[in-house]
Amino acid sequence: MSLLSLTAPPGWSMCSALYILIVLLPEAKTDSLNATIIRNGGGSQCGEYTNQVMENGMCRLVATLPQLDERRCPDMFRCTDEVSYWLHENEERTQQIMALKETISELQEELRNHRHRIKVLELQSEERVHLNISLEQRFHELELHYAEATTLLHLQGTLILDLQNQLHNLTLLVDKVKRSPGCLINIVRPNPLMNAHDRLHPEIQHVRNCPIDCASIYHNGVRRSGLYTVVPSLAGMPVEVYCDMDTDGGGWTVIQRRFDGSVSFDRNWRDYRDGFGELHSEFWLGNDHIHDLSAQGDYSLRIDLEDWTSKHKHALYQSFSVEDEEHQYRLHVSGFSGTVQDSFSWYHNKQGFSTPDSGNICAEISHGGWWYNQCFYANLNGVYYRGGHYTPKGRGPLGPDGIVWHSWKDSDYYSLRKVSMMIRPRSFQSRSSP
């Protein structure tokens, strides 16, 4: 026979636990047991079973089951179902306990991991605290460096400004030196040892190494057009001039220029004597300066002309000079050549200079200063009219007053767009740049 041990279901009050002994016999028989037997249910059809209380307090159940064909024993099978139920429940609970153990093990592992993370975080927090302290110290150091850098930057800005001012002054000085290289002027006051002629001129300038015109500057190695200082040998006083170092070999001292009408040439005698305008723009150099320059040697005159269609021509005169104020700056010009017909020398040569306030009717009509005859065939200091052909607009116009070169259009009523007059020594020869 087989012995089964199980836990009793709640409905069983006879004992806390059962031992079940089931014997399959051909005939229903019961062995004798040395125990207190309580006979319950059963019969020949369903067999017999007994139970007894063991010494250890367990309940022992012994059943004898007949081998019947497909016959069900209700009481016994009910017991069997209940036993199966508790066996199943026990297995499920065992599995649940195992699952709980695994869960607890996982939770313990996770707890260990969490503790490890917490430790790592604590270490990181300590590192961050130290890092924050380091950053604060670094920030404080950076603030100090920034203050120092700001102070240095301010000092640097001041130094740069000072250097810029020094550079500007040096540039002006270099420019001045370039315009009058190696020039030395000494002014001597009159003294009893001077002769009668010198006493009539209380200030005498002794000039040494000074350029007397733009040709001198050119031969000193300067090849760039611009403003320079020259000292004409007769006057002995410095004068600023514009030098043209590009046209026909360079070396030209410009005495007049017109190109945009920005300067009025309707001026009095004093203005024409001393000069007016801007050397970088339109100007008249001044009759005194023109006299001083042209009287110190043999000079040529070049006149450049341009109309309103940008057509350019020029006139060249081999000989040019102007007398002093006492002789009304009388003109001497001859030796014409060029790309335009002459409208100047043949008619204006040996004429004195006139201005609107000098009493010359031609100067009044023409509203400018010039070497007028009856009145002009060339009038380069006339009124600036835009567009070429013009109608006089002056006060009570009596005749033409524009910038006229008669042979250009065979007309006194066509005003040119650009004109310039410049002089240089007749013997000038251009040289290649050093």
Side-chain angles (χ1 to χ4, degrees):
M1 79 181 40
S2 299
L3 182 65
L4 300 177
S5 178
L6 70 159
T7 303
W12 291 13
S13 61
M14 294 178 61
C15 55
S16 58
L18 297 176
Y19 283 108
I20 301 175
L21 183 63
I22 302 173
V23 181
L24 299 177
L25 298 173
E27 293 180 358
K29 294 183 178 181
T30 303
D31 293 335
S32 297
L33 298 174
N34 295 323
T36 304
I37 300 174
I38 300 175
R39 193 175 296 274
N40 286 322
S44 59
Q45 293 181 352
C46 293
E48 295 179 354
Y49 62 90
T50 60
N51 57 27
Q52 62 182 16
V53 179
M54 305 293 290
E55 292 179 358
N56 58 2
M58 301 296 289
C59 183
R60 182 182 183 190
L61 177 65
V62 179
T64 302
L65 302 178
Q67 293 182 350
L68 301 178
D69 297 334
E70 302 296 329
R71 184 173 294 182
R72 183 174 180 270
C73 183
D75 293 339
M76 195 65 226
F77 278 98
R78 184 179 70 247
C79 294
T80 303
D81 290 340
E82 291 173 353
V83 170
S84 299
Y85 168 77
W86 285 111
L87 288 174
H88 179 71
E89 285 292 318
N90 185 56
E91 184 179 357
E92 287 185 351
R93 289 178 183 177
T94 301
Q95 293 176 352
Q96 290 176 357
I97 291 172
M98 294 298 295
L100 286 174
K101 287 182 178 180
E102 291 178 359
T103 302
I104 290 171
S105 178
E106 292 175 356
L107 289 174
Q108 288 176 342
E109 180 66 22
E110 188 173 353
L111 179 60
R112 285 193 295 270
N113 293 336
H114 281 301
R115 286 176 179 173
H116 177 71
R117 291 194 202 96
I118 291 171
K119 186 64 177 179
V120 172
L121 290 174
E122 288 177 350
L123 294 175
Q124 290 179 349
S125 177
E126 292 178 0
E127 292 178 356
R128 287 193 182 95
V129 170
H130 293 299
L131 179 61
N132 288 336
I133 295 174
S134 300
L135 288 176
E136 289 179 359
Q137 293 176 349
R138 182 60 178 165
F139 181 73
H140 180 67
E141 293 175 358
L142 288 175
E143 285 183 333
L144 294 178
H145 289 316
Y146 176 76
E148 294 175 358
T150 302
T151 303
L152 291 175
L153 183 62
H154 177 71
L155 179 61
Q156 184 182 25
T158 304
L159 292 174
I160 289 175
L161 182 62
D162 184 58
L163 289 174
Q164 286 177 341
N165 291 332
Q166 292 183 23
L167 179 62
H168 177 69
N169 294 334
L170 286 174
T171 302
L172 294 178
L173 182 60
V174 169
D175 186 59
K176 184 177 180 180
V177 170
K178 286 176 64 178
R179 282 186 272 166
S180 56
C183 182
L184 177 63
I185 302 174
N186 296 323
I187 299 178
V188 180
R189 299 294 177 180
N191 61 68
L193 299 178
M194 290 183 179
N195 56 35
H197 179 270
D198 291 340
R199 289 192 184 97
L200 295 176
H201 301 81
E203 293 186 355
I204 299 178
Q205 293 75 32
H206 294 275
V207 182
R208 185 175 64 193
N209 298 328
C210 291
I212 62 174
D213 54 18
C214 291
S216 300
I217 293 176
Y218 177 93
H219 288 302
N220 285 338
V222 178
R223 301 291 189 271
R224 179 177 294 181
S225 298
L227 301 185
Y228 299 91
T229 300
V230 300
V231 184
S233 58
L234 294 180
M237 294 298 294
V239 57
E240 195 170 37
V241 297
Y242 185 89
C243 295
D244 184 334
M245 300 299 188
D246 302 310
T247 302
D248 190 25
W252 296 101
T253 303
V254 182
I255 63 174
Q256 185 258 27
R257 183 165 58 197
R258 310 283 302 276
F259 64 87
D260 62 2
S262 59
V263 175
S264 172
F265 275 64
D266 188 0
R267 303 290 186 117
N268 58 31
W269 180 268
R270 182 177 179 179
D271 288 344
Y272 272 98
R273 179 192 67 193
D274 300 334
F276 57 86
E278 296 291 337
L279 292 175
H280 278 301
S281 178
E282 297 190 333
F283 67 91
W284 179 258
L285 184 61
N287 289 332
D288 274 348
H289 300 316
I290 296 173
H291 162 70
D292 293 337
L293 288 166
S294 63
Q296 63 185 349
D298 295 329
Y299 277 79
S300 299
L301 169 69
R302 178 185 173 101
I303 298 176
D304 285 275
L305 311 166
E306 184 177 314
D307 67 9
W308 290 89
T309 63
S310 299
K311 182 183 294 184
H312 178 271
K313 296 181 181 181
H314 75 275
L316 181 64
Y317 300 91
Q318 291 297 319
S319 178
F320 171 83
S321 65
V322 173
E323 297 184 26
D324 58 14
E325 184 177 18
E326 183 179 357
H327 296 90
Q328 297 182 338
Y329 305 113
R330 184 177 290 112
L331 172 68
H332 296 274
V333 58
S334 61
F336 167 78
S337 64
T339 59
V340 65
Q341 292 183 10
D342 183 20
S343 293
F344 183 48
S345 64
W346 70 271
Y347 192 73
H348 295 273
N349 185 35
K350 298 183 180 180
Q351 300 300 314
F353 199 85
S354 301
T355 58
D357 64 335
S358 66
N360 186 300
I361 186 61
C362 291
E364 294 180 20
I365 293 173
S366 302
H367 302 106
W370 194 246
W371 296 279
Y372 291 107
N373 190 343
Q374 299 292 329
C375 285
F376 63 79
Y377 273 84
N379 184 38
L380 303 187
N381 289 341
V383 178
Y384 193 91
Y385 288 102
R386 299 181 182 277
H389 296 285
Y390 71 95
T391 300
K393 299 178 182 178
R395 298 183 299 274
L398 299 177
D401 60 356
I403 302 175
V404 174
W405 190 272
H406 181 83
S407 63
W408 191 283
K409 295 284 186 180
D410 289 330
S411 172
D412 291 334
Y413 291 95
Y414 185 88
S415 185
L416 295 171
R417 181 181 182 181
K418 295 181 181 180
V419 296
S420 65
M421 302 173 66
M422 46 193 173
I423 62 174
R424 73 180 178 189
R426 188 188 310 172
S427 60
F428 176 86
Q429 291 182 353
S430 63
R431 302 174 182 175
S432 58
S433 299

